[in-house]
Structure formats: C-alpha cells, structure tokens
Amino acid sequence: GSLFYNTDFKTVEFFDGNSWRQVDNTTTRGRAVFGGGNTPSKVSTIDFVTISSLGNAVHFGEMSTDMNQAAGSASETRGLLSGGYDGSSRSDNNDYITIAAGGNAIDFGNLSAGRSHPGACNSSTRSLVIAGYTGSRVNTIDYVEINTLGNSIDFGDSISSRDELCALSSPTRGLSAAGGLSGGKEKIIDFVTIASKGNATKFGDLTVASAYACGGGNGIRGIIMPGNTPSPSGTDPTSIDQITIASEGNAVDFGGKAISIGTQRGGSGCSKTRMVFGSGANPSVNNALEFIVISSNGSAQEFGDLTLARSSPAGLSDSNGGLGGF
C-alpha cells in the first residue's frame, strides 16, 4: 500500500482500504491530566500521570478558580478545561494548559453559556463541548480551534438535552453518550463529524441507561465506563461498554470490569493503548485511579492515586483517540 508524510501533523500515514491512518504519533508524551473536582468543597487542583507507567499522580498546577463538573479535551500540546460548577453558578470558563510544561491554567475564552457537566472531545485541531446544564439541560454543541484563543462558536446540537454525559473521539468523529434527563437517565450514543459543523446523528445505544459516565478510547475502539444518578446504573455497576467508532450500532459488553463503583463521577485520560480513569464518588469521594488496556477485553487494574480525593474532575490527555496515531 501507499505511504506518505503528512506535513500538517508530522506523521507517516498509510491507506487501510477505507481511510488514511497515522503510523506514528511522535509528538505526544502520554500524559493524562485531571483538573478540579469536589472534596466535597470545590477545588482547583490539577494533577497529572504518565499513562504508560503505574504510580501516584503529581501536582501540575491550578485551574483559574475552584471548580467541579468541568470537561476536558486536548491537542498534542494544549489541554482545555471547559465549563463546570463553582458552588454558586455554572461557569462559561475555558481554561487552557500546556500539557508538557505544567503550571496554572490560563484563560482561553468563554463558552456560549455557563454550563456544568458537559461532555468534551477533540480532533488534533478542534475541541467540542457538548450539552450540559445551564439551569436547565441543553443540547448545544460549541467548538473552538485549540491552537488559538477566543470564545466558542456554535457547532450544532446533540440529539437530546442532557447533562452528566461523557464524550470521546477518533480523529474524524466526536461521540457523546449517556447523561441525565429530566425523567431519568439516557442510553443514547450520538456522533458528529468534527471537521464540519451540524447536528448530531444517532450512533446507537449503551447496554444500559447511565449518567455520570466517563468515556475514552484509542480512535478505533470507544470505551464508556458506568455511571450513576446517584445510585449505580444497571445490575452490575462495574460493567464496561465498548463501541467501534467508525461504524454505527449499539454498545456491547467490554468483557472486563472496573475494580470499584467508586470510579463513577470520575475523569479519564487515554493513550493509544491505555485508558486511565477514576477518582469519583459512590457514596464518598476517593482518589483511586484504575486502567484498562483498550484493545483487550480484560478487567481494570490499579494504577495509583491522585494527590487529592475528589469527585467529578475533568480528564484529558495529549495522546487520546482524537489525535490519530497507530
């Protein structure tokens, strides 16, 4: 088959019969970052871990304000922490960090409206912030170009108005799943094409309706961890769903389990091989991180601890499934 060098992304790519795939992804470090949370008081703490290793997190810096229920997305170099709840109001903040450097977050711009518990995902150039709670549940999708600064622009609408959802991506598709509804929990998965603008289309359904989930993946396989509102969803709250991002259809069981339902209301960060997730609450806050191997179907293993026990942190990484690589 053909190989060529992509000068935009500085990667070697090959054609797999359907689309161009990146052979390498040498610009990433493999860091997962977790920002903010609830202890139960709101905190601004940002921690990071090296996804390929095991061990406890290291302090990275501070968000611009104490905040939980924000959402994280990232390019290979820059991470965004979007929205959240400061204890009195829903935030329209978009903070950014330089993932390789460490340090305090800096103002990027503003969302179209203050909202808590949105989902967020990305390609290498765009960040999408999806749905959330503004005082009522909304279906708005905002986007920004990650390497610039400025306020968010309208992208389109997700299928349902919801909060407490998760999002994940491949380099071309952004997906959102689960969520809280006025009448209970959501099981729908929908998707958009990140490079275009427009409303979301239905992808399929989760195996069980869920809220407070967290999502990730390697760009080929998407992973959705279980959630709660506030009781565990389904008969087995440690179950894990998987989807194939390039296709449409319902989620199926991953084949492994999370260690603890305490990972619910947690954040996540991914490389092409691992998803690190956790630091949640059920019923009390914790600092535990777990990981799975995305391409396998095994159960989660212990990874380490964040510097601070908390629920509802935002999670992001510089090597997530939206950034290509193979």
Side-chain angles (χ1 to χ4, degrees):
S2 299
L3 290 171
F4 78 98
Y5 183 71
N6 187 319
T7 57
D8 292 328
F9 298 134
K10 297 180 174 59
T11 55
V12 176
E13 301 187 2
F14 70 97
F15 192 71
D16 67 1
N18 296 301
S19 61
W20 289 96
R21 298 272 301 282
Q22 294 179 2
V23 176
D24 61 358
N25 200 19
T26 57
T27 59
T28 61
R29 296 173 58 96
R31 277 188 171 181
V33 177
F34 298 85
N38 199 48
T39 65
S41 60
K42 310 299 181 282
V43 296
S44 61
T45 305
I46 306 173
D47 292 345
F48 79 92
V49 298
T50 301
I51 300 173
S52 61
S53 68
L54 299 176
N56 295 334
V58 177
H59 183 249
F60 183 99
E62 303 292 329
M63 295 174 64
S64 60
T65 188
D66 296 341
M67 192 78 65
N68 76 331
Q69 302 176 2
S73 58
S75 69
E76 292 92 340
T77 56
R78 179 179 280 186
L80 297 180
L81 299 162
S82 306
Y85 181 62
D86 65 8
S88 61
S89 62
R90 272 79 195 177
S91 174
D92 64 358
N93 286 4
N94 235 351
D95 283 356
Y96 80 92
I97 55 173
T98 301
I99 299 173
N104 295 338
I106 301 169
D107 180 55
F108 181 97
N110 300 111
L111 301 176
S112 60
R115 60 178 110 164
S116 59
H117 263 318
C121 62
N122 58 267
S123 66
S124 61
T125 56
R126 279 186 173 180
S127 166
L128 307 185
V129 177
I130 305 167
Y133 189 82
T134 64
S136 61
R137 293 175 176 89
V138 297
N139 65 352
T140 306
I141 306 175
D142 289 351
Y143 82 96
V144 295
E145 301 296 332
I146 300 175
N147 65 346
T148 66
L149 298 177
N151 295 334
S152 296
I153 300 170
D154 180 60
F155 183 97
D157 295 324
S158 61
I159 285 180
S160 64
S161 297
R162 64 202 196 274
D163 62 353
E164 302 157 3
L165 68 156
C166 66
L168 58 99
S169 54
S170 71
T172 56
R173 280 185 167 181
L175 288 77
S176 59
L181 304 170
S182 58
K185 310 169 195 173
E186 178 67 275
K187 67 187 301 183
I188 199 168
I189 309 167
D190 59 9
F191 76 96
V192 296
T193 300
I194 299 174
S196 66
K197 293 186 284 185
N199 296 336
T201 302
K202 185 171 181 179
F203 183 98
D205 291 317
L206 299 173
T207 59
V208 65
S210 179
Y212 291 115
C214 67
N218 59 7
I220 301 169
R221 176 180 280 185
I223 304 294
I224 298 98
M225 305 303 303
N228 64 339
T229 63
S231 60
S233 62
T235 57
D236 184 357
T238 64
S239 64
I240 304 171
D241 279 2
Q242 63 170 319
I243 54 174
T244 300
I245 298 174
S247 66
E248 284 101 53
N250 295 336
V252 297
D253 181 61
F254 179 76
K257 306 293 182 183
I259 296 171
S260 169
I261 56 176
T263 59
Q264 295 166 13
R265 302 194 191 196
S268 64
C270 297
S271 68
K272 301 304 178 292
T273 55
R274 281 183 172 184
M275 176 175 173
V276 179
F277 60 92
S279 186
N282 193 32
S284 58
V285 297
N286 66 81
N287 63 350
L289 294 175
E290 306 174 20
F291 79 95
I292 57 169
V293 177
I294 298 170
S295 61
S296 75
N297 294 92
S299 292
Q301 302 175 58
E302 293 183 2
F303 185 94
D305 296 324
L306 292 182
T307 63
L308 186 68
R310 61 189 116 155
S311 65
S312 299
L316 59 90
S317 77
D318 61 3
S319 48
N320 65 75
L323 303 178
F326 182 74

